Amino acid sequence: MADRKTIPAATRLRLFSEAAGHCQRPECLDALFPVELGGNKHIAEMAHVIPHGEAGPRHEDRPEGDFDPDSVENIILLCPTCHTMIDKDPDGFPRNILLGWKQNHVSNLAAKQGIRAYDDRAEVRAAISGVMAENKAIWDKFAPEQGTDFEYDPESEAAKTWSHRMRSVILPNHYRVQAIIQANLQLATEDERRTFAEYQEHVRGLAERHVCGVAGRAIRFPEAMEGMFS
């Protein structure tokens, strides 16, 4: 992690959302919430493509004009091993290579996970229905009810269980559903595209709360997602 100053919550949220919970080095793509840690703690490191100073890795690639090293465009989310690798060999990992990783990350991850474009809507529905059903089952069993003490006591066992399920299962499932739909948007109706946009905002809000620690911005899960590609 960069420690020169705190990376804004909005930037961290975008980074985690765009990385979909996985290291952005295409030869790695390891989960940043590893099973070995219970899926509850992340090992992600925010690596600067261009450093703050004039002596760090890739400093000679600094663009001219106004430049914010803490902008989301200049930070890539990596596992600790890959972060160390790129900083120890900056000549082997120049700016254009790292930016290419960011740009192509979603398609690289989708390929690794076997996500692809389908020929018809029924295939897309089959690909997302099981994942969505798992999330709903976990939500029905563990999600806090409005007005309960659970909401106000984050140290309770119930709250800890819910947070664990959110980070280790629900969010990774959401990222997978998003990748499947993104790869098959050509089969979606205009109404479904609007529903998908609302769904993406819902997931961003969940990540903001449960990964970045910023509460109160998530919109409700759009009910129309239940019939997506039906």
Side-chain angles (χ1 to χ4, degrees):
M1 292 282 187
D3 57 6
R4 293 179 181 271
K5 69 176 183 179
T6 302
I7 303 297
T11 300
R12 287 184 281 126
L13 172 63
R14 278 192 60 187
L15 290 168
F16 273 92
S17 179
E18 291 173 2
H22 292 262
C23 175
Q24 291 184 293
R25 179 172 170 255
E27 291 78 15
C28 178
L29 300 175
D30 281 354
L32 295 175
F33 285 86
V35 174
E36 293 81 2
L37 297 180
N40 194 38
K41 297 179 181 179
H42 74 76
I43 58 170
E45 296 190 356
M46 290 181 280
H48 285 77
V49 176
I50 303 298
H52 285 85
E54 299 297 330
R58 294 168 296 279
H59 68 89
E60 67 280 0
D61 291 336
R62 183 182 301 274
E64 297 181 358
D66 292 337
F67 175 72
D68 179 9
D70 289 328
S71 67
V72 70
E73 293 79 13
N74 189 55
I75 302 175
I76 185 168
L77 215 61
L78 299 172
C79 70
T81 299
C82 291
H83 188 182
T84 299
M85 181 186 303
I86 69 165
D87 282 355
K88 284 188 174 295
D89 183 16
D91 291 337
F93 300 101
R95 179 172 182 254
N96 66 307
I97 292 292
L98 302 187
L99 295 183
W101 291 358
K102 284 174 64 73
Q103 181 178 357
N104 298 314
H105 177 66
V106 172
S107 59
N108 290 335
L109 184 59
K112 179 182 179 181
Q113 295 178 334
I115 294 169
R116 61 183 180 85
Y118 293 100
D119 294 327
D120 62 64
R121 291 168 55 85
E123 291 179 302
V124 185
R125 182 64 194 171
I128 66 175
S129 59
V131 184
M132 292 176 62
E134 181 180 32
N135 273 8
K136 187 176 187 306
I138 294 172
W139 185 281
D140 289 343
K141 183 169 183 177
F142 295 107
E145 296 180 8
Q146 293 297 317
T148 64
D149 291 339
F150 180 151
E151 287 187 80
Y152 305 106
D153 182 10
E155 296 304 315
S156 71
E157 287 305 313
K160 289 179 181 178
T161 299
W162 169 238
S163 293
H164 176 270
R165 294 296 194 282
M166 176 60 70
R167 290 191 288 262
S168 64
V169 182
I170 291 180
L171 277 171
N173 278 352
H174 278 316
Y175 292 139
R176 182 173 179 82
V177 168
Q178 285 185 341
I180 294 171
I181 294 176
Q182 192 70 54
N184 291 278
L185 272 180
Q186 76 281 0
L187 297 176
T189 66
E190 285 303 313
D191 284 345
E192 287 172 335
R193 287 171 181 263
R194 284 191 290 271
T195 296
F196 181 53
E198 293 177 14
Y199 172 62
Q200 289 177 299
E201 184 58 33
H202 169 72
V203 176
R204 278 192 289 268
L206 292 180
E208 191 170 37
R209 179 167 189 169
H210 292 279
V211 176
C212 300
V214 179
R217 300 184 185 180
I219 67 170
R220 295 181 65 85
F221 178 82
E223 292 184 5
M225 277 294 296
E226 299 288 352
M228 197 77 167
F229 292 103
S230 294

